[in-house]
Amino acid sequence: MSYTESIGSRTYRFADLKTLLAKASPQRSGDQLASIAAASEEERVAAKMALAEVPLRTFLNEPLIPYETDEVTRLIIDDHSPAAFAEISHLTVGDFRNWLLSTTSDTDALTRITEGLTPEMVAAVSKLMRNQDLITAARKRPVITRFRNTVGLPGRMSVRLQPNHPTDDVKGIAASMLDGLMYGCGDALIGINPASDNLAAITKLLQMIDDFRQRYQVPTQSCVLTHVTSTIAAMEKGAPVDLVFQSIAGTEKANASFGISLALLQEAYEAGLSLQRGTVGSNLMYFETGQGSALSADAHFGVDQQTCEARAYAVARKFKPFLVNTVVGFIGPEYLYDGKQITRAGLEDHFCGKLLGVPMGCDICYTNHAEADQDDMDNLLTLLGVAGINFIMGVPGADDVMLNYQSTSFHDALYVRDVLGLRRAPEFEEWLESMQIIDARGALIGASARQPLLEGARDWMGIA
């Protein structure tokens, strides 16, 4: 089905729904690279006007990628709930925007419709929204998950402690881990990107974190962010695996480029459940995504990168994850050129994920060859804090020395918690207070009070 819209004497024609969505997207370098972006701001406005009139039902009848050839499309269609959709089934995309922003559409209303939404619907409505609209609607849709603690409660923001090391040196990782804990970070998880997929090294890192966690009774979870097949192998060897990690994308072909399928993710999910390591809940999958992954794998099929990204969230929610985050600026300026595009993408991803019932976090980041800097990251961090982000990254000095990119630091987490009054996961906060790391208000206690724990942990780990 084609779509048309006139502005003055000029009429714009859009061949199909995926073309309309691409032309309506805010400007970004990835869509320009794929030659699917609007050729002018006037064409972009025309596409938005036409998109606003599209009934939401259209997205159920006009798949962007054929049902017969893509298992992600099949998942989206087969798992769609007509009962949950009924409340909004009469709306157009423009009407849906108005409905989301109305004062009567509260948390209960947004939760009721979750299973009735497809990624394409939420991607479409996001293209009609200003940044403040994305923040307002996402804030109304908390998504709460549990493993050893509870993440996503309103008024709280968690941090993934990310103590990466370029050679997987256990003492180096342990030192960064202790540093982060002394700043009150780590309630989302302690998560290491390994320098290699060596099973012995992965197991050694998992064992180190788990020994520390048990010795000091830390109510958090660990993860070594290796390929899901390596995690399955580690579980088979008896390694203490908490969260099961995998990078995912929004098309079958893009996921195949990662070496995964829905069946493999199901196998990993069931293996993780069988370990029964959660204490307050059983959400155990951890997924990372990022706009541009399908395009970089030549697996986007003409679909704009933001809509492809939203489709990845349908994959994520299938497996009831504990954490999902978009690594928003990591792929590079070929996909998100500058700070403005990175900021917009982060807000879009968070909004789309939350509407689909996914526990969204964000690696607020950029590469050194992008037209962005730490001030841009400060801005996005603050906006996502207001929007109700589940978690962010805590990287020593905001500079990941293994992955070679810029993210957010332990100090950045202190900043946003302070200015917005955000607390940590309740179980983790109680532990920090019992360890005299924070006071009852959540503020850090002086270094002298923390010194006994720090020195004891250093001695135990053999860190000078």
Side-chain angles (χ1 to χ4, degrees), residues 13 28 74 78 94 121-122 184 205 285 288 300 304 320 333 415 431:
R13 292 180 174 82
R28 63 205 52 198
R74 293 194 290 275
D78 293 349
M121 292 176 192
V122 298
L205 293 175
M285 300 299 283
E288 283 191 343
H300 62 103
D304 69 272
K320 302 177 177 61
Y415 147 73
W431 177 80

Side-chain angles (χ1 to χ4, degrees), residues 165-202:
H165 192 281
T167 64
D168 289 339
D169 180 78
V170 174
K171 288 186 177 181
I173 288 170
S176 293
M177 183 178 76
L178 286 174
D179 188 27
L181 289 169
M182 291 304 105
Y183 281 101
C185 295
D187 49 342
L189 80 157
I190 300 171
I192 302 165
N193 296 90
S196 76
D197 263 353
N198 179 276
L199 185 58
I202 292 166

Side-chain angles (χ1 to χ4, degrees), residues 251-280:
T251 73
E252 180 178 347
K253 184 179 178 182
N255 283 326
S257 76
F258 292 151
I260 63 167
S261 64
L262 296 180
L264 180 59
L265 293 178
Q266 183 68 35
E267 177 187 347
Y269 176 53
E270 292 174 2
L273 285 175
S274 72
L275 300 181
Q276 297 182 324
R277 290 177 60 83
T279 55
V280 298

Side-chain angles (χ1 to χ4, degrees), residues 35-191:
S35 300
I36 60 175
S40 66
E41 286 303 315
E42 184 174 279
E43 185 182 24
R44 183 171 287 110
V45 170
K48 289 177 184 288
M49 292 169 65
L51 182 59
E53 299 303 319
V54 174
L56 291 180
R57 288 185 179 277
T58 303
F59 295 94
L60 300 174
N61 301 321
E62 192 177 338
L64 305 186
I65 302 172
Y67 181 94
E68 297 77 15
T69 60
D70 187 271
E71 68 174 0
V72 177
T73 299
R74 293 194 290 275
L75 171 66
I76 291 166
I77 298 300
D78 293 349
D79 281 7
H80 180 259
S81 169
F85 183 57
E87 186 171 347
I88 57 169
S89 61
H90 61 291
L91 300 178
T92 65
V93 176
D95 293 332
F96 185 39
R97 173 190 175 275
N98 296 337
W99 185 89
L100 287 169
L101 297 175
S102 69
T103 55
T104 56
S105 296
D106 56 9
T107 298
D108 289 342
L110 268 61
T111 303
R112 282 197 308 271
I113 67 168
T114 297
E115 299 300 322
L117 295 174
T118 69
E120 292 84 356
M121 292 176 192
V122 298
V125 75
S126 75
K127 298 176 193 301
L128 306 183
M129 302 176 88
R130 293 170 56 186
N131 287 1
Q132 65 175 256
D133 299 337
L134 298 172
I135 293 167
T136 299
R139 188 176 175 84
K140 293 195 286 186
R141 183 55 175 102
V143 180
I144 301 164
T145 56
R146 296 174 173 87
F147 189 76
R148 284 200 191 91
N149 59 27
T150 306
V151 170
L153 291 166
R156 296 180 183 266
M157 185 199 73
S158 297
V159 177
R160 169 190 161 186
L161 205 172
Q162 184 171 311
N164 295 342
H165 192 281
T167 64
D168 289 339
D169 180 78
V170 174
K171 288 186 177 181
I173 288 170
S176 293
M177 183 178 76
L178 286 174
D179 188 27
L181 289 169
M182 291 304 105
Y183 281 101
C185 295
D187 49 342
L189 80 157
I190 300 171

Side-chain angles (χ1 to χ4, degrees), residues 343-361:
T343 298
R344 174 70 189 191
L347 294 175
E348 288 170 346
D349 295 349
H350 178 249
F351 163 83
C352 290
K354 285 293 183 66
L355 254 64
L356 291 167
V358 172
M360 286 302 295

